[in-house]
Amino acid sequence: MGGDYAPAEIVRGALDYLYGTEELHQVLLVGVPERIHAELAAENARESERLRIVPALQIIEMDEHPMEAFREKRDSSIVVCNQLVRKGEADAAFSAGNTGAMMVASTLVLELLEGVRRAGIAAMLPRENGGYTVVVDAGANVDCRAKHLEHFALLGSVFNEKVMGIENPRVGLLANGEEPSKGNEMTREAFVLLSALHPRINFIGNVEGNHVTENRVDVVVCDGLVGNVLLKGAEGVGRLAISILKQNMETTTDPETLSRMDAVMAQFRHQFDYSEHGGAPLLGVNGVSIIAHGRSDRRAIANGIRQAARAVQSGYLEAVRIALKETRLKQGQQE
Amino acid sequence: MGGDYAPAEIVRGALDYLYGTEELHQVLLVGVPERIHAELAAENARESERLRIVPALQIIEMDEHPMEAFREKRDSSIVVCNQLVRKGEADAAFSAGNTGAMMVASTLVLELLEGVRRAGIAAMLPRENGGYTVVVDAGANVDCRAKHLEHFALLGSVFNEKVMGIENPRVGLLANGEEPSKGNEMTREAFVLLSALHPRINFIGNVEGNHVTENRVDVVVCDGLVGNVLLKGAEGVGRLAISILKQNMETTTDPETLSRMDAVMAQFRHQFDYSEHGGAPLLGVNGVSIIAHGRSDRRAIANGIRQAARAVQSGYLEAVRIALKETRLKQGQQE
């Protein structure tokens, strides 16, 4: 029930996913049954063994206060989704709804992994020459301590390795320059903590904003305010590029020119339209929880469900638990 | 002597500026005389009343430690430039050299304006539908207090109004959401201080990273780490757009398509190549000080000198002094 185009695009995205995969996954559509039935009917589909409806009668609106919404709407799709995962009746929770409410619900229902103090949102930014750069935290925690960034580094590194298949991912700390002296007090402290995680993570030092699109780093670690500004700023510039190209296409009549510009537009959409790329996993909670962009369309939803399935199958959660335990053991020995 | 292409492009930019303006400004080229003479000779130019050489025999390299370089190289072009302004022998200092050293030299030689505790770099980002958004601070101060942001807001607003001619500029505080509750502890405190500056500044509340390119705000206020990440991130995405278009142009042979793509490329360069747009003024010092991108070419240098001249003629400094005095008086009355 969450997202700017819910439930229509959510239902369509789920159908696209099911029709397009050879895996025998089940999709549970959580929400107001009548509305979901209506959307299914509109697509000539209906409930089946692989597509079940789980009732949740309340709806958390996009602008509701996350904590209040969580407390007052226990029968909302966001809360019920997370309870299904908690009870083992689902393997992953996925929502395009109120980001804050999804964060709160996943953190409180699934709980944090042992040793983790804050969950972080991992955004995936497409970069030059293909692939993605993971940015953690992309907006969950605005006031961070160095210790939180240490966890984001570990969580992001394991996620990148297990789910995205990057061997020994390069982990960088976002700062205003590459020298270790750069950054603020908090990042300089985090620099020391991240260095001490060697060889558990492949820490390459400080990275700058432009490195994110340049395939120089795989996992970028930062506090949620900086990460959010980076992400939104990148979105803004990307949209500007798309809009300039679009304006030029509108005044073009030559078919050869248009077809070429169409090809450029497709590349731009892939690179700059972040809603295309599914969702952002919430790392640090005891389960797979994925938060999609509010303006996700059916394609983004299908991609997000695929991403959730991959995260479950990858064994990421088990690997994270081991990594956290090893790190705690090592730190215990040092103390 | 500063910048990736110094002194050649600096000298060429100065000549371009002088040939292109009807104003009778003087340009003082500060640096190693033999090298400047050689560059002038290569352009069939020489010293004249409007183009004087001021000797400075030391060179601060791009990677030197700013404070050490300032202490040890008093006869460098960066330090001598600022001394010329301090002594009233020049009206503005302009450099494409070591950013940190220029900041230190301007702050210590020109000194801070009365009432200001930190100087901030004002970066200018081109935005949709023309014009620029000013971002202060773009990298001078990584550990800021709310009070510093209050000064950046006032300085940026007066600069935008006087030098860029924007009436009653919209001042926004960079955060991870528009609601007043968004942002971190420091920005929430700054939110209160900025609100209290009404009607001296037109504070429109929190803004997000994507608003910078959307013509929704004229002056964006943030700490130097966030500002630097926003700026560099935007540069990275912009360069990616340029590189995708370039790749497509390389494999295009149809002349009509190429000419159209050329036009798009020109728009992209204007929007995304920040080195095109001259320099970033250092706001808060007692004089006009402008810092250009290290990779500035002759065009960027000429634009930067033009910008410096405009800042001097605009009466910005006097207006800032009055605004600071009024604000202090008002705050004194409230206490």
Side-chain angles (χ1 to χ4, degrees), chain A residues 128 142-143 176 183-185 208 210 213-214 225 228 232 236 239-240 248 251 254 256-257 260 267, chain B residues 128 142-143 176 183-185 208 210 214 225 228 232 236 239-240 248 251-252 254 256-257 260 267:
Chain A
E128 233 168 318
V142 288
D143 289 293
N176 59 325
N184 59 20
E185 272 181 46
E208 301 186 63
N210 53 308
T213 44
E214 286 173 2
L225 181 62
N228 187 271
K232 297 264 181 72
R239 256 181 262 161
L240 188 50
N248 276 278
T251 53
D254 176 54
E256 197 164 337
T257 306
R260 194 60 198 237
Q267 281 178 274
Chain B
E128 233 169 317
V142 287
D143 288 294
N176 58 325
N184 59 21
E185 272 181 46
E208 301 186 61
N210 52 309
E214 286 174 3
L225 181 61
N228 187 271
K232 297 265 181 70
R239 255 180 264 160
L240 188 50
N248 276 277
T251 52
T252 301
D254 176 54
E256 197 165 337
T257 306
R260 194 59 198 236
Q267 281 177 273

Side-chain angles (χ1 to χ4, degrees), chain A residues 12 15 66 86 95 128 210 260 267 269 289 322 330:
Chain A
R12 288 181 195 143
L15 291 170
R86 170 80 196 218
S95 172
E128 233 168 318
N210 53 308
R260 194 60 198 237
Q267 281 178 274
R269 286 208 194 283
S289 166
I322 293 169
K330 196 181 151 204

Side-chain angles (χ1 to χ4, degrees), chain A residues 80-93 110 286-288:
Chain A
V80 172
C81 259
N82 282 285
Q83 285 168 339
L84 289 171
V85 176
R86 170 80 196 218
K87 291 186 282 188
E89 292 172 25
D91 293 305
L110 303 178
N286 199 358
V288 173

